[in-house]
Amino acid sequence: MVRDMLKIVCVCGARPNFMKIAPIMDALGRADGVRTLLVHTGQHYDERMSRLFFGQLNIPEPDVNLEVGSCSHAVQTGQVMERFEPVCLKEKPDWVLVVGDVNSTLACALVASKLGIRIAHVEAGLRSFDRTMPEEINRVLTDAISDALFVTEPSGVDNLKREGVADEKVHLVGNVMIDTLLRSRSRAEESTILETLGIQPRRYAVLTLHRPSNVDNVEVFSSILGALEKICQEMPVVFPMHPRSRKNLAALGLESRAEGIARLRMVEPLGYLDFLKLTANAAVVLTDSGGIQEETTILGVPCLTLRENTERPITVSQGTNRLIGSDGEAILAAFREVCEHPPDLSRRPELWDGNAAQRIVDVLVRTCPN
Ligand code: UD1
């Protein structure tokens, strides 16, 4: 039987997935002979962690929401699997496309794999080589069962080759998160977030923190606050707080210490356009996020990563990123160093040019099974 339409089920679940799925949905929408369904697992569900991004990034309303919400890793992964399986059985897609490295990514890939449905993994091959990170487990396992692996940087190609993935499955296509950034820059310019916060371009820092290794441990979180006490004497620090970090600050008894830091601006999580405007105009960004290491590389803003390792080494070799770890003294020293000697801001990784999603869709259509 010759099928006239190629059917693709795209999956998103948590905040960093939304800026990756947006340009892919857009490119799929423009492709001939392709029918696309969007499944939201509901891993993130707060207005500011989810809905806001759909509106700002023009992502179509999901066809299905699995509404799993927050729970332990095993329960969350299991619930996504249980609820995604009937969707696959009903829709019988040619491809399930997953992005990134969150629990929803692995859960949906596993379901597709057991049903014999081909899996496309966008942002494949990245490795921190730190198996204590839940994302690293999700990355390694998703890649092992994927049929088309779309890679953002050459290190990913090397990692997959070393793990024995066949060359013909691996496609170096660039970075869909950067597609979204480049097409959103002019709209982000219109954001009034700097006026709202009363801050001046290049005279403030931005901080984001949410990794369990930084915010689940009282010593580590305290050490970071120690650095912030000093940094805030030099410039204001805007800290849009992930719900996990806000909850832990209270649970670890650190709330009043943080609130006592003058010029530390703890705000709610921001929408995409406000956050882009904020980071694009910052003097320096301090973060433990993966995606922000990439965004600051393209924005030409110095980035200090509060981790010991990165799965995105190109942001260090060709971008503005430096790995600092989470020790307060080291953070303060790196902050002072980067203010005095800003990194080379002129480099840009190859293929991070705004066309990654189109390259992905071209491969999917070309390798159509029928
Ligand atoms: C998840 C991803 C991480 C990604 C991050 C971006 C995994 C293993 N982790 O981490 O890779 O960088 O998303 O944010 O998939 N919560 C809310 N509202 C929400 C979502 C979460 O209040 O909309 C709170 C809940 O208390 C929840 C906690 O945040 O227990 C953690 O959420 P979860 O999705 O489990 O992990 P993240 O830390 O967000």
Side-chain angles (χ1 to χ4, degrees), residues 16 43-46 70 73 102-103 135 210 242-244 247:
Q43 177 174 344
H44 284 176
Y45 44 86
D46 283 354
S70 302
H73 284 258
V102 303
N103 286 346
E135 295 81 3
H210 75 283
H242 187 285
R244 179 186 199 108
K247 278 178 199 163

Side-chain angles (χ1 to χ4, degrees), residues 43 71-74 76-77 80 101-108 134 138:
Q43 177 174 344
C71 21
S72 72
H73 284 258
Q76 191 173 60
T77 308
V80 173
D101 55 15
V102 303
N103 286 346
S104 302
T105 309
L106 173 62
C108 292
N138 295 341

